[in-house]
Amino acid sequence: MVAFWQQRGRRQENGGLGSVIDGLGSVFDVLLANARLVLGVSGAAVLAIATLAVKRLIDRATSPRDEGDPKAEQKSLEESWQDLALIKTTPKPPKKQRREDLSEPLLSPARPLVPGEAADPKGCSAPLGAPQVQSSPLRCLTLQEKLLSHGSQLAVPEIQASLIPQLARSICTQLQNFLRSKCPELPFGRLFLSGALLDGLEVLAADHVHLMLPVVLDAGLWSLIPGEDTVVRNPQYWMIKRIDLGYFPRGCSPWDRFIVGRYLSSSVLNETLHKLLVASINWPAIGGLLGCAIHPVVASRELKLEVKHDQVELSITLFPVVEMEDKVLLAVPPEGLVENLWLESFYRAEVSRVKELDAGDSGARQLCLRILNGVCRSQPSLHKLGGSPVTHVILHLSDTASDWAEESLADRFQQVIEELVASLEKGVLVSYFNPKINLFSGLLEEEIDEMGFVLYRAISEPELLLK
């Protein structure tokens, strides 16, 4: 009894801590008594464990400590950490189920392993009688698989692939008949179609076709002058010079009417044809005959026709073309004061060489080219890389990388991206057919920076280009 009053007096000296503790104990008892009604069985169990731990902490804090025991303080701290760990590991009561949670799959808790029972490598077994749910594992596609899948999605819609060539050939025939009747003195060759659609390299949509108009020249009256030998100093362009005027004066060639300074002017020829297309041809009548609407583009520097059919829309660009000395020259002068330049085209040689290489080793160069053309077409910042630049990079790599099988498509695809980034960093992409030509010479610095940034990111993540 004396010890009791000493202990109580000691508690009262601590500012009435004993009375407070007694009050807390009463509160805990009331809570525990009513916990089952308020929280349910599981909630009452949780509260009981937590209350027990707290009461043990309070009792230990207020109980007298043995003065002669040096390990008492260390023991008290260890027990306190154990009690705190008990509180932290106390299971939380299940939260109230929401409506949206009803659609989520429920995961059963792991069953403890019985001693002597073999572990299931596939995970915990379900209770007897429970339905077995087969869950298909997530499978990450490799770059190779993504490229093959992406390549299969690049096909031009069947209606475009069949209708557009037919429609373009019909317009080609009508234009050929008009030129023969309107300009019989000009020896135009037979018009023919050109472009990626006809060569099997078109992707996503066939909305443009090139119409080539051959300009037939007498090799004895004309000669080619390389662009680097003129004031423009550009090996991409050529000039067509009228020769032997002393023996064959002007008028001997039907093309002399398009001469400017003794050179056949691509600009003058284009202007003449532009006037014919806009003002002389009865396109409404031709369109009615073919079941479509045909409109020449008046404001364009190019010779362009816009065709609208019930099922397709098409843009046709007319190119006068001169073939001399194994060169294919287009009447596409650069912007500026020089109007006598003809652009050398390598398109025919590019397509022929790619198909020849693929036929020799059953390679996937054409597939790689179609995928890259699709990437350049779908991303506006890469539009000017499609076509010739990508083709020339593939041809350069074909001289060093011999494995172009379909199984190596991912490696070659990534290698082409790396080569394009390296060329953009230098601002130089050497033509495969003429090392003097830089295919990036016509690009602005801002365009190079933008394309380089997009492709540089794709070096580490090539999948970014396929989205």
Side-chain angles (χ1 to χ4, degrees), residues 143 414 417 456-467:
L143 177 60
Q414 194 155 10
I417 295 175
Y456 181 78
R457 291 178 56 205
I459 290 180
S460 57
E461 296 183 76
E463 295 85 356
L464 292 175
L465 298 177
L466 304 181
K467 295 180 179 180

Side-chain angles (χ1 to χ4, degrees), residues 37-60:
L37 296 176
V38 178
L39 302 176
V41 178
S42 60
V46 173
L47 182 59
I49 296 174
T51 303
L52 176 60
V54 173
K55 291 181 67 177
R56 288 172 59 184
L57 287 174
I58 295 175
D59 290 341
R60 187 156 42 252

Side-chain angles (χ1 to χ4, degrees), residues 311-370:
Q311 297 175 298
V312 296
E313 292 187 5
L314 173 64
S315 175
I316 299 178
T317 305
L318 178 66
F319 290 102
V321 55
V322 170
E323 296 189 35
M324 286 183 63
E325 303 176 10
D326 298 329
K327 302 289 188 299
V328 179
L329 308 178
L330 304 180
V332 184
E335 295 184 5
L337 299 178
V338 182
E339 58 182 11
N340 298 333
L341 296 178
W342 293 70
L343 177 66
E344 184 173 7
S345 172
F346 299 102
Y347 177 77
R348 187 186 303 172
E350 293 165 6
V351 175
S352 176
R353 182 58 178 164
V354 169
K355 291 186 175 182
E356 178 185 354
L357 291 172
D358 272 355
D361 57 9
S362 301
R365 296 172 184 83
Q366 295 176 76
L367 176 58
C368 185
L369 179 58
R370 283 197 298 269

